Amino acid sequence: DYISQYAEREDKIDLYILMKSNVEFVQDGGRILEEQSRRDKFFDDMKSFLDMNNKNYVIIDEDSHRKRYNQASRAVFKEFY
């Protein structure tokens, strides 16, 4: 499954940015999880994976793309500066 495949490559990540699926889906040519139920499951699966493996992460849950960008930027700045 996708999480197991991902886990094999994740040993050098300092901070995970986990995006809550609470904004409207926008197809940009690379997205594959259009249905809300699949987006929610992916979020839940990734959060469980991060928790089970004691990974450092932040959840981005603002309700607009601009606010999410700002929230993620603040999290990265706080973590590394």
Side-chain angles (χ1 to χ4, degrees), residues 14-49:
D14 296 316
L15 176 67
Y16 289 84
I17 298 175
L18 186 58
M19 304 291 217
K20 191 148 177 86
S21 58
N22 62 331
V23 294
E24 183 178 341
F25 177 85
V26 176
Q27 181 53 266
D28 63 4
R31 300 186 188 274
I32 59 173
L33 301 175
E34 187 168 350
E35 297 95 19
Q36 186 64 44
S37 61
R38 291 184 68 203
R39 294 171 65 207
D40 293 340
K41 181 176 179 348
F42 179 79
F43 176 87
D44 293 340
D45 289 349
M46 287 304 299
K47 185 174 182 313
S48 293
F49 168 80

Side-chain angles (χ1 to χ4, degrees), residues 1-13:
D1 68 11
Y2 59 88
I3 293 178
S4 297
Q5 292 170 0
Y6 176 76
E8 295 172 5
R9 304 182 315 235
E10 58 76 43
D11 61 338
K12 298 187 189 254
I13 297 173

